């Protein structure tokens, strides 16, 4: 295996701006925007284009079919070939996805294809972009960055894109002309600008020489995924990242569609902004909460998840705007803390040669949470006794089980100094 020193890209002769990470973060922001702009429009596809609730929620989940392969292949391939060649297609793919979505409002096939393309772009952005931002947040690129800055910057770039993409799309669909088209055009412009910035970003990991490359199958192996701390603490946490987010900005807005003041798309966008805004804000506190000595940040994340599920159970029963907004805030805090604590844990667990790969595995597990809206809609439609308040209560109980695991392994299987260097 090529050593870290041998695999690094040639460093520049001149001083690099400490904000160079923003050139990569812009693409992460753009692909996250493209991944979540669809969410507040779910009501529009149900009401104006004749799709059933389960079908619409499957459209939401469809982009996971693009995300997971892109995550699992993109991360290890970028360790092998360098960050730049693997991430450069992402802005192009997210634009192609938005174009299909804009043209295919009445076509299930085009909507699914568009969502998958946006998913591929987002998967590359999360796995490759996250590793690239992490590397650009260390010396020599940014010697002023604090420990964990890369994880926080990556998480906040994604959350900002998720939140603003949903908010802008919902507002445009509610009040602007061309409701099924305009939001996707705005996103395409943002992604093109991000692509221009990405071209100028410095490479941090040079391609391995052909003579030193091992088989692709060996490159795709991720030894640190078997780390006991990952299996016992991070894997149980991961699905709650987007499980809580989906509850806040997909499930609750759908339940509130007749109780949102007559502007369901705008209210859905507001729920997205409130949930993801809370997640964004709490990530800024992640550095103070997180510690490499125990699972404190993971425990805090799961406490928010439990509280969020309990609030969602109450909101889905009462169907009042104040309760729905409070639930979105608490769920958003659970999302934000789960994301940033998980990222910081895996950056301590992973070695330099499988950082992108372990990031990909983590994100793949997080997106299991996006199956929740479709599963809940299916169960609600087919089993009268399975109500949303009961399903959210079950979610709180399941999260409590994950919390127990994190407490039991409070100081277990901590990465050694060598593993986390």
């Amino acid at each position: 295996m090529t050593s870290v020193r041998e695999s690094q890209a040639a460093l520049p002769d001149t001083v690099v701006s400490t904000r160079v990470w923003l050139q990569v973060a812009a693409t992460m922001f753009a692909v996250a925007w493209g991944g979540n702009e669809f969410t507040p429009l779910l009501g529009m596809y149900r009401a104006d284009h004749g799709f059933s609730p389960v079908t619409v929620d499957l459209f939401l989940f469809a982009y996971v079919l693009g995300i997971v392969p892109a995550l699992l292949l993109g991360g290890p391939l970028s360790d092998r070939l360098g960050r730049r060649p693997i991430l450069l297609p992402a802005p192009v793919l997210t634009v192609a996805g938005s174009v299909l979505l804009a043209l295919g409002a009445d076509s299930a096939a085009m909507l699914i294809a568009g969502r998958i393309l946006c998913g591929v772009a987002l998967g590359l952005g999360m796995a490759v972009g996250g590793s690239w931002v992490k590397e650009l947040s260390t010396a020599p690129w940014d010697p002023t960055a604090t420990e964990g800055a890369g994880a926080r910057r990556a998480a906040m770039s994604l959350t900002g894109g998720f939140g603003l993409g949903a908010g802008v799309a919902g507002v445009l669909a509610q009040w602007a002309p061309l409701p099924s088209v305009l939001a996707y055009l705005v996103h395409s412009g943002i992604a093109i600008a991000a692509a221009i910035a990405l071209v100028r970003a410095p490479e941090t990991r040079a391609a391995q020489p052909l003579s030193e490359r091992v088989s692709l199958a060996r490159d795709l192996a991720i030894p640190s995924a078997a780390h006991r701390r990952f299996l016992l603490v991070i894997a149980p946490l991961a699905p709650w990242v987007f499980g809580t987010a989906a509850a806040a900005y997909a499930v609750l807005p759908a339940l509130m569609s007749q109780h949102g003041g007559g502007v369901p798309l705008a209210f859905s966008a507001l729920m997205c902004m409130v949930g993801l805004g809370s997640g964004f804000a709490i990530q800024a506190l992640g550095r103070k909460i997180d510690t490499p000595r125990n699972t404190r940040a993971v425990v805090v994340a799961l406490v928010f998840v439990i509280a969020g599920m309990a609030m969602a159970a109450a909101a889905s029963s009462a169907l009042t705007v104040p309760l729905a907004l409070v639930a979105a805030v608490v769920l958003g805090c659970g999302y934000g803390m789960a994301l940033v604590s998980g990222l910081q844990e895996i950056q301590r667990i992973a070695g330099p040669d499988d950082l992108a790969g372990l990031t990909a595995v983590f994100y793949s597990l997080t997106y299991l949470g996006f199956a929740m809206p479709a599963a809940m809609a299916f169960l609600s439609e087919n089993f009268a006794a399975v109500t949303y308040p009961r399903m959210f209560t079950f979610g709180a109980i399941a999260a409590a089980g994950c919390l127990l695991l994190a407490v039991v392994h409070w100081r277990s299987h901590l990465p050694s100094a060598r593993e986390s260097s």
Side-chain angles (χ1 to χ4, degrees):
M1 183 68 67
T2 305
S3 70
V4 177
R5 181 180 299 274
E6 291 170 336
S7 65
Q8 295 298 315
L11 299 179
D13 294 328
T14 58
V15 176
V16 178
S17 167
T18 58
R19 295 186 179 273
V20 73
W21 62 271
L22 288 168
Q23 295 171 337
V24 178
T27 286
M28 298 184 69
F29 176 87
V31 297
W33 182 301
N36 208 37
E37 63 185 337
F38 189 85
T39 305
L41 309 185
L42 297 178
M44 178 187 73
Y45 290 109
R46 282 192 297 265
D48 299 341
H49 299 277
F51 296 108
S52 72
V54 174
T55 301
V56 169
D57 285 334
L58 287 174
F59 292 157
L60 180 67
F61 181 71
Y63 86 138
V64 177
L65 301 178
I67 289 171
V68 172
L71 282 169
L72 295 177
L73 292 172
L77 283 174
S78 76
D79 285 338
R80 179 188 185 98
L81 302 175
R83 309 302 185 206
R84 184 190 307 278
I86 307 301
L87 190 59
L88 279 177
V92 178
L93 291 171
T94 199
V95 170
S98 271
V99 170
L100 284 178
L101 293 171
L103 297 175
D106 295 305
S107 167
M110 290 184 71
L111 291 175
I112 289 172
R115 291 290 289 160
I116 290 174
L117 283 177
C118 288
V120 173
L122 180 56
L124 294 176
M126 295 175 92
V128 185
S131 298
W132 202 350
V133 166
K134 188 262 185 184
E135 290 158 354
L136 289 173
S137 299
T138 58
W141 310 104
D142 187 357
T144 65
T146 58
E147 182 181 358
R152 293 191 300 276
R153 288 167 174 177
M156 293 176 76
S157 300
L158 291 170
T159 302
F162 288 142
L164 288 175
V168 171
V171 169
L172 292 177
Q174 186 70 64
W175 289 298
L178 303 173
S180 61
V181 174
L182 187 57
Y184 300 120
L185 296 181
V186 171
H187 166 248
S188 296
I190 291 169
I192 291 169
I196 294 171
L198 185 64
V199 169
R200 300 176 9 235
E203 179 63 86
T204 56
R205 187 176 181 92
Q208 296 172 351
L210 285 173
S211 61
E212 297 179 6
R213 291 182 190 174
V214 297
S215 68
L216 180 58
R218 183 175 170 186
D219 259 359
L220 292 176
I222 305 165
S224 55
H227 195 289
R228 290 182 64 81
R229 188 168 176 85
F230 181 81
L231 295 175
L232 296 172
V233 176
I234 305 308
L237 170 75
W240 294 111
V241 172
F242 290 114
T244 52
Y249 59 61
V251 179
L252 288 178
L255 297 177
M256 291 291 297
S257 60
Q258 303 301 316
H259 307 271
V263 285
L265 300 182
F267 184 75
S268 180
L270 175 63
M271 291 283 285
C272 288
M273 292 290 289
V274 167
L276 291 169
S278 301
F280 184 89
I282 202 168
Q283 287 172 24
L285 301 175
R287 178 168 60 90
K288 297 179 180 179
I289 297 172
D290 180 75
T291 171
R293 296 187 297 274
N294 55 53
T295 61
R296 183 173 64 192
V298 173
V299 166
V300 170
L302 287 167
V303 168
F304 275 117
V305 171
I306 295 167
M309 288 288 145
M311 287 300 306
S316 63
S317 178
L319 295 178
T320 63
V321 169
L323 269 178
L325 291 175
V326 171
V329 169
V330 182
L331 288 165
C333 289
Y335 153 79
M337 274 304 305
L339 179 60
V340 76
S341 63
L343 284 173
Q344 294 195 149
E345 284 279 356
I346 66 170
Q347 288 187 5
R348 288 191 285 264
I349 292 169
D353 291 320
D354 62 355
L355 172 62
L358 191 62
T359 302
V361 173
F362 171 70
Y363 277 132
S364 297
L365 293 174
T366 68
Y367 271 98
L368 293 176
F370 258 113
M372 189 174 74
M376 294 179 81
F378 175 81
L379 291 171
S380 178
E381 286 188 4
N382 291 278
F383 302 95
V386 185
T387 64
Y388 277 92
R390 289 176 178 175
M391 286 187 280
F392 280 124
T393 300
F394 176 80
I397 295 170
C402 297
L403 174 62
L404 180 61
L405 267 177
V407 171
V408 167
H409 297 288
W410 182 252
R411 290 193 175 91
S412 302
H413 315 297
L414 295 173
S416 67
R418 182 182 178 189
E419 286 175 316
S420 59
S421 63

mmCIF file of all heavy atoms in Angstrom, residues 243-284:
data_model
loop_
_atom_site.group_PDB
_atom_site.id
_atom_site.type_symbol
_atom_site.label_atom_id
_atom_site.label_comp_id
_atom_site.label_asym_id
_atom_site.label_seq_id
_atom_site.Cartn_x
_atom_site.Cartn_y
_atom_site.Cartn_z
ATOM 1 N N GLY A 243 -33.058 9.516 9.369
ATOM 2 C CA GLY A 243 -34.351 9.124 9.901
ATOM 3 C C GLY A 243 -35.027 10.299 10.588
ATOM 4 O O GLY A 243 -36.220 10.571 10.378
ATOM 5 N N THR A 244 -34.263 11.037 11.407
ATOM 6 C CA THR A 244 -34.820 12.217 12.063
ATOM 7 C C THR A 244 -35.098 13.326 11.054
ATOM 8 O O THR A 244 -36.135 13.990 11.121
ATOM 9 C CB THR A 244 -33.851 12.735 13.143
ATOM 10 O OG1 THR A 244 -32.547 12.904 12.563
ATOM 11 C CG2 THR A 244 -33.760 11.785 14.306
ATOM 12 N N ALA A 245 -34.180 13.526 10.110
ATOM 13 C CA ALA A 245 -34.379 14.572 9.114
ATOM 14 C C ALA A 245 -35.627 14.297 8.278
ATOM 15 O O ALA A 245 -36.443 15.194 8.029
ATOM 16 C CB ALA A 245 -33.147 14.682 8.214
ATOM 17 N N ALA A 246 -35.801 13.050 7.840
ATOM 18 C CA ALA A 246 -36.963 12.704 7.027
ATOM 19 C C ALA A 246 -38.259 12.877 7.807
ATOM 20 O O ALA A 246 -39.287 13.294 7.248
ATOM 21 C CB ALA A 246 -36.837 11.267 6.517
ATOM 22 N N ALA A 247 -38.224 12.574 9.091
ATOM 23 C CA ALA A 247 -39.416 12.782 9.916
ATOM 24 C C ALA A 247 -39.780 14.256 9.963
ATOM 25 O O ALA A 247 -40.960 14.632 9.884
ATOM 26 C CB ALA A 247 -39.183 12.245 11.326
ATOM 27 N N ALA A 248 -38.759 15.118 10.089
ATOM 28 C CA ALA A 248 -39.006 16.550 10.220
ATOM 29 C C ALA A 248 -39.492 17.181 8.923
ATOM 30 O O ALA A 248 -40.410 18.008 8.931
ATOM 31 C CB ALA A 248 -37.730 17.256 10.696
ATOM 32 N N TYR A 249 -38.882 16.791 7.779
ATOM 33 C CA TYR A 249 -39.233 17.549 6.570
ATOM 34 C C TYR A 249 -39.943 16.744 5.490
ATOM 35 O O TYR A 249 -40.215 17.269 4.403
ATOM 36 C CB TYR A 249 -38.012 18.267 5.999
ATOM 37 C CG TYR A 249 -36.809 17.453 5.586
ATOM 38 C CD1 TYR A 249 -36.861 16.490 4.603
ATOM 39 C CD2 TYR A 249 -35.572 17.717 6.162
ATOM 40 C CE1 TYR A 249 -35.741 15.789 4.201
ATOM 41 C CE2 TYR A 249 -34.430 17.030 5.771
ATOM 42 C CZ TYR A 249 -34.533 16.064 4.785
ATOM 43 O OH TYR A 249 -33.416 15.375 4.383
ATOM 44 N N ALA A 250 -40.304 15.488 5.778
ATOM 45 C CA ALA A 250 -41.107 14.727 4.816
ATOM 46 C C ALA A 250 -42.380 14.190 5.454
ATOM 47 O O ALA A 250 -43.474 14.398 4.943
ATOM 48 C CB ALA A 250 -40.285 13.580 4.222
ATOM 49 N N VAL A 251 -42.249 13.519 6.602
ATOM 50 C CA VAL A 251 -43.418 12.892 7.213
ATOM 51 C C VAL A 251 -44.343 13.925 7.842
ATOM 52 O O VAL A 251 -45.540 13.985 7.529
ATOM 53 C CB VAL A 251 -42.983 11.845 8.260
ATOM 54 C CG1 VAL A 251 -44.216 11.214 8.908
ATOM 55 C CG2 VAL A 251 -42.117 10.765 7.616
ATOM 56 N N LEU A 252 -43.821 14.761 8.744
ATOM 57 C CA LEU A 252 -44.677 15.724 9.420
ATOM 58 C C LEU A 252 -45.314 16.732 8.461
ATOM 59 O O LEU A 252 -46.512 17.034 8.588
ATOM 60 C CB LEU A 252 -43.900 16.444 10.527
ATOM 61 C CG LEU A 252 -43.590 15.605 11.771
ATOM 62 C CD1 LEU A 252 -42.778 16.416 12.777
ATOM 63 C CD2 LEU A 252 -44.873 15.099 12.418
ATOM 64 N N PRO A 253 -44.588 17.279 7.468
ATOM 65 C CA PRO A 253 -45.262 18.190 6.526
ATOM 66 C C PRO A 253 -46.402 17.518 5.765
ATOM 67 O O PRO A 253 -47.430 18.161 5.487
ATOM 68 C CB PRO A 253 -44.130 18.611 5.586
ATOM 69 C CG PRO A 253 -42.908 18.499 6.409
ATOM 70 C CD PRO A 253 -43.132 17.296 7.277
ATOM 71 N N ALA A 254 -46.248 16.239 5.418
ATOM 72 C CA ALA A 254 -47.338 15.540 4.729
ATOM 73 C C ALA A 254 -48.563 15.422 5.633
ATOM 74 O O ALA A 254 -49.704 15.623 5.194
ATOM 75 C CB ALA A 254 -46.875 14.156 4.282
ATOM 76 N N LEU A 255 -48.351 15.120 6.902
ATOM 77 C CA LEU A 255 -49.469 15.028 7.842
ATOM 78 C C LEU A 255 -50.121 16.383 8.086
ATOM 79 O O LEU A 255 -51.322 16.464 8.374
ATOM 80 C CB LEU A 255 -48.983 14.446 9.172
ATOM 81 C CG LEU A 255 -48.437 13.014 9.130
ATOM 82 C CD1 LEU A 255 -47.916 12.598 10.499
ATOM 83 C CD2 LEU A 255 -49.514 12.037 8.657
ATOM 84 N N MET A 256 -49.331 17.451 7.958
ATOM 85 C CA MET A 256 -49.825 18.799 8.219
ATOM 86 C C MET A 256 -50.344 19.497 6.976
ATOM 87 O O MET A 256 -50.646 20.694 7.018
ATOM 88 C CB MET A 256 -48.694 19.640 8.831
ATOM 89 C CG MET A 256 -48.288 19.233 10.237
ATOM 90 S SD MET A 256 -49.558 19.596 11.461
ATOM 91 C CE MET A 256 -49.622 21.384 11.337
ATOM 92 N N SER A 257 -50.455 18.791 5.848
ATOM 93 C CA SER A 257 -50.791 19.442 4.574
ATOM 94 C C SER A 257 -52.125 20.180 4.609
ATOM 95 O O SER A 257 -52.303 21.171 3.897
ATOM 96 C CB SER A 257 -50.804 18.412 3.434
ATOM 97 O OG SER A 257 -51.765 17.400 3.701
ATOM 98 N N GLN A 258 -53.080 19.715 5.433
ATOM 99 C CA GLN A 258 -54.376 20.381 5.547
ATOM 100 C C GLN A 258 -54.434 21.332 6.743
ATOM 101 O O GLN A 258 -55.492 21.886 7.041
ATOM 102 C CB GLN A 258 -55.485 19.331 5.673
ATOM 103 C CG GLN A 258 -55.542 18.329 4.540
ATOM 104 C CD GLN A 258 -55.758 18.987 3.192
ATOM 105 O OE1 GLN A 258 -56.591 19.888 3.046
ATOM 106 N NE2 GLN A 258 -54.998 18.553 2.190
ATOM 107 N N HIS A 259 -53.310 21.500 7.405
ATOM 108 C CA HIS A 259 -53.306 22.315 8.633
ATOM 109 C C HIS A 259 -52.206 23.374 8.593
ATOM 110 O O HIS A 259 -51.812 23.883 9.646
ATOM 111 C CB HIS A 259 -53.103 21.406 9.850
ATOM 112 C CG HIS A 259 -54.066 20.270 9.933
ATOM 113 N ND1 HIS A 259 -55.288 20.366 10.567
ATOM 114 C CD2 HIS A 259 -54.001 19.003 9.436
ATOM 115 C CE1 HIS A 259 -55.931 19.213 10.474
ATOM 116 N NE2 HIS A 259 -55.166 18.362 9.795
ATOM 117 N N GLY A 260 -51.710 23.687 7.414
ATOM 118 C CA GLY A 260 -50.581 24.609 7.293
ATOM 119 C C GLY A 260 -50.942 25.981 6.782
ATOM 120 O O GLY A 260 -50.116 26.636 6.132
ATOM 121 N N GLY A 261 -52.153 26.419 7.040
ATOM 122 C CA GLY A 261 -52.549 27.779 6.653
ATOM 123 C C GLY A 261 -52.846 27.953 5.185
ATOM 124 O O GLY A 261 -52.792 29.083 4.682
ATOM 125 N N GLY A 262 -53.157 26.875 4.485
ATOM 126 C CA GLY A 262 -53.520 26.993 3.072
ATOM 127 C C GLY A 262 -52.351 27.147 2.129
ATOM 128 O O GLY A 262 -52.551 27.369 0.932
ATOM 129 N N VAL A 263 -51.128 27.038 2.623
ATOM 130 C CA VAL A 263 -49.930 27.130 1.760
ATOM 131 C C VAL A 263 -49.050 25.911 2.047
ATOM 132 O O VAL A 263 -47.970 26.036 2.646
ATOM 133 C CB VAL A 263 -49.168 28.455 1.976
ATOM 134 C CG1 VAL A 263 -49.890 29.618 1.326
ATOM 135 C CG2 VAL A 263 -48.974 28.730 3.486
ATOM 136 N N PRO A 264 -49.482 24.722 1.636
ATOM 137 C CA PRO A 264 -48.782 23.497 2.045
ATOM 138 C C PRO A 264 -47.334 23.418 1.586
ATOM 139 O O PRO A 264 -46.475 22.898 2.309
ATOM 140 C CB PRO A 264 -49.626 22.383 1.423
ATOM 141 C CG PRO A 264 -50.390 23.040 0.321
ATOM 142 C CD PRO A 264 -50.645 24.439 0.789
ATOM 143 N N LEU A 265 -47.036 23.920 0.377
ATOM 144 C CA LEU A 265 -45.658 23.837 -0.109
ATOM 145 C C LEU A 265 -44.748 24.772 0.673
ATOM 146 O O LEU A 265 -43.615 24.409 1.033
ATOM 147 C CB LEU A 265 -45.606 24.156 -1.600
ATOM 148 C CG LEU A 265 -46.418 23.237 -2.510
ATOM 149 C CD1 LEU A 265 -46.242 23.647 -3.968
ATOM 150 C CD2 LEU A 265 -46.012 21.784 -2.314
ATOM 151 N N ALA A 266 -45.231 25.968 0.940
ATOM 152 C CA ALA A 266 -44.437 26.907 1.733
ATOM 153 C C ALA A 266 -44.259 26.402 3.156
ATOM 154 O O ALA A 266 -43.190 26.542 3.753
ATOM 155 C CB ALA A 266 -45.099 28.280 1.739
ATOM 156 N N PHE A 267 -45.316 25.792 3.717
ATOM 157 C CA PHE A 267 -45.195 25.253 5.070
ATOM 158 C C PHE A 267 -44.209 24.083 5.096
ATOM 159 O O PHE A 267 -43.423 23.944 6.039
ATOM 160 C CB PHE A 267 -46.556 24.801 5.597
ATOM 161 C CG PHE A 267 -46.504 24.323 7.018
ATOM 162 C CD1 PHE A 267 -46.397 25.231 8.067
ATOM 163 C CD2 PHE A 267 -46.529 22.971 7.320
ATOM 164 C CE1 PHE A 267 -46.326 24.798 9.389
ATOM 165 C CE2 PHE A 267 -46.460 22.527 8.630
ATOM 166 C CZ PHE A 267 -46.364 23.447 9.670
ATOM 167 N N SER A 268 -44.237 23.249 4.069
ATOM 168 C CA SER A 268 -43.269 22.160 3.971
ATOM 169 C C SER A 268 -41.849 22.704 3.903
ATOM 170 O O SER A 268 -40.928 22.183 4.553
ATOM 171 C CB SER A 268 -43.572 21.295 2.745
ATOM 172 O OG SER A 268 -42.645 20.241 2.625
ATOM 173 N N ALA A 269 -41.674 23.775 3.117
ATOM 174 C CA ALA A 269 -40.354 24.403 3.039
ATOM 175 C C ALA A 269 -39.936 24.970 4.385
ATOM 176 O O ALA A 269 -38.770 24.871 4.786
ATOM 177 C CB ALA A 269 -40.369 25.509 1.984
ATOM 178 N N LEU A 270 -40.904 25.559 5.107
ATOM 179 C CA LEU A 270 -40.602 26.093 6.434
ATOM 180 C C LEU A 270 -40.162 24.975 7.373
ATOM 181 O O LEU A 270 -39.192 25.133 8.130
ATOM 182 C CB LEU A 270 -41.835 26.799 7.000
ATOM 183 C CG LEU A 270 -41.711 27.312 8.440
ATOM 184 C CD1 LEU A 270 -40.619 28.373 8.541
ATOM 185 C CD2 LEU A 270 -43.050 27.859 8.937
ATOM 186 N N MET A 271 -40.845 23.841 7.325
ATOM 187 C CA MET A 271 -40.462 22.708 8.167
ATOM 188 C C MET A 271 -39.043 22.236 7.837
ATOM 189 O O MET A 271 -38.256 21.905 8.736
ATOM 190 C CB MET A 271 -41.456 21.565 7.985
ATOM 191 C CG MET A 271 -42.836 21.833 8.551
ATOM 192 S SD MET A 271 -42.895 21.679 10.348
ATOM 193 C CE MET A 271 -42.834 19.897 10.546
ATOM 194 N N CYS A 272 -38.727 22.207 6.543
ATOM 195 C CA CYS A 272 -37.364 21.834 6.144
ATOM 196 C C CYS A 272 -36.348 22.814 6.706
ATOM 197 O O CYS A 272 -35.310 22.421 7.265
ATOM 198 C CB CYS A 272 -37.253 21.793 4.623
ATOM 199 S SG CYS A 272 -38.087 20.424 3.832
ATOM 200 N N MET A 273 -36.643 24.102 6.549
ATOM 201 C CA MET A 273 -35.702 25.124 7.005
ATOM 202 C C MET A 273 -35.529 25.089 8.514
ATOM 203 O O MET A 273 -34.413 25.217 9.034
ATOM 204 C CB MET A 273 -36.201 26.500 6.563
ATOM 205 C CG MET A 273 -36.176 26.733 5.063
ATOM 206 S SD MET A 273 -34.489 26.886 4.433
ATOM 207 C CE MET A 273 -34.025 28.485 5.085
ATOM 208 N N VAL A 274 -36.633 24.904 9.230
ATOM 209 C CA VAL A 274 -36.562 24.870 10.693
ATOM 210 C C VAL A 274 -35.760 23.649 11.159
ATOM 211 O O VAL A 274 -34.850 23.756 11.988
ATOM 212 C CB VAL A 274 -37.976 24.854 11.304
ATOM 213 C CG1 VAL A 274 -37.927 24.509 12.789
ATOM 214 C CG2 VAL A 274 -38.655 26.202 11.102
ATOM 215 N N GLY A 275 -36.085 22.473 10.601
ATOM 216 C CA GLY A 275 -35.385 21.265 11.005
ATOM 217 C C GLY A 275 -33.907 21.305 10.661
ATOM 218 O O GLY A 275 -33.044 21.057 11.513
ATOM 219 N N LEU A 276 -33.613 21.621 9.406
ATOM 220 C CA LEU A 276 -32.214 21.628 8.987
ATOM 221 C C LEU A 276 -31.459 22.824 9.545
ATOM 222 O O LEU A 276 -30.258 22.740 9.806
ATOM 223 C CB LEU A 276 -32.139 21.601 7.459
ATOM 224 C CG LEU A 276 -32.601 20.263 6.864
ATOM 225 C CD1 LEU A 276 -32.772 20.381 5.361
ATOM 226 C CD2 LEU A 276 -31.625 19.149 7.197
ATOM 227 N N GLY A 277 -32.164 23.946 9.738
ATOM 228 C CA GLY A 277 -31.523 25.095 10.379
ATOM 229 C C GLY A 277 -31.100 24.774 11.801
ATOM 230 O O GLY A 277 -30.006 25.153 12.245
ATOM 231 N N SER A 278 -31.947 24.045 12.523
ATOM 232 C CA SER A 278 -31.581 23.617 13.878
ATOM 233 C C SER A 278 -30.387 22.674 13.821
ATOM 234 O O SER A 278 -29.471 22.760 14.656
ATOM 235 C CB SER A 278 -32.771 22.919 14.542
ATOM 236 O OG SER A 278 -33.882 23.775 14.614
ATOM 237 N N GLY A 279 -30.396 21.773 12.843
ATOM 238 C CA GLY A 279 -29.277 20.859 12.687
ATOM 239 C C GLY A 279 -27.991 21.592 12.361
ATOM 240 O O GLY A 279 -26.917 21.259 12.880
ATOM 241 N N PHE A 280 -28.087 22.609 11.521
ATOM 242 C CA PHE A 280 -26.920 23.407 11.153
ATOM 243 C C PHE A 280 -26.377 24.140 12.374
ATOM 244 O O PHE A 280 -25.177 24.157 12.638
ATOM 245 C CB PHE A 280 -27.314 24.407 10.068
ATOM 246 C CG PHE A 280 -26.180 25.221 9.528
ATOM 247 C CD1 PHE A 280 -25.426 24.776 8.457
ATOM 248 C CD2 PHE A 280 -25.857 26.452 10.082
ATOM 249 C CE1 PHE A 280 -24.374 25.529 7.950
ATOM 250 C CE2 PHE A 280 -24.817 27.213 9.591
ATOM 251 C CZ PHE A 280 -24.073 26.748 8.516
ATOM 252 N N ALA A 281 -27.290 24.744 13.156
ATOM 253 C CA ALA A 281 -26.859 25.543 14.305
ATOM 254 C C ALA A 281 -26.170 24.685 15.358
ATOM 255 O O ALA A 281 -25.139 25.081 15.915
ATOM 256 C CB ALA A 281 -28.061 26.262 14.907
ATOM 257 N N ILE A 282 -26.714 23.505 15.621
ATOM 258 C CA ILE A 282 -26.135 22.695 16.696
ATOM 259 C C ILE A 282 -24.793 22.100 16.290
ATOM 260 O O ILE A 282 -23.966 21.779 17.154
ATOM 261 C CB ILE A 282 -27.114 21.595 17.146
ATOM 262 C CG1 ILE A 282 -26.755 21.144 18.575
ATOM 263 C CG2 ILE A 282 -27.125 20.418 16.176
ATOM 264 C CD1 ILE A 282 -27.800 20.294 19.232
ATOM 265 N N GLN A 283 -24.539 21.996 14.988
ATOM 266 C CA GLN A 283 -23.241 21.490 14.562
ATOM 267 C C GLN A 283 -22.112 22.427 14.987
ATOM 268 O O GLN A 283 -20.985 21.987 15.203
ATOM 269 C CB GLN A 283 -23.234 21.282 13.052
ATOM 270 C CG GLN A 283 -24.045 20.074 12.617
ATOM 271 C CD GLN A 283 -24.198 19.995 11.115
ATOM 272 O OE1 GLN A 283 -23.392 20.539 10.369
ATOM 273 N NE2 GLN A 283 -25.239 19.316 10.673
ATOM 274 N N ALA A 284 -22.427 23.709 15.105
ATOM 275 C CA ALA A 284 -21.407 24.662 15.554
ATOM 276 C C ALA A 284 -20.979 24.384 16.994
ATOM 277 O O ALA A 284 -19.880 24.762 17.408
ATOM 278 C CB ALA A 284 -21.941 26.083 15.426
#
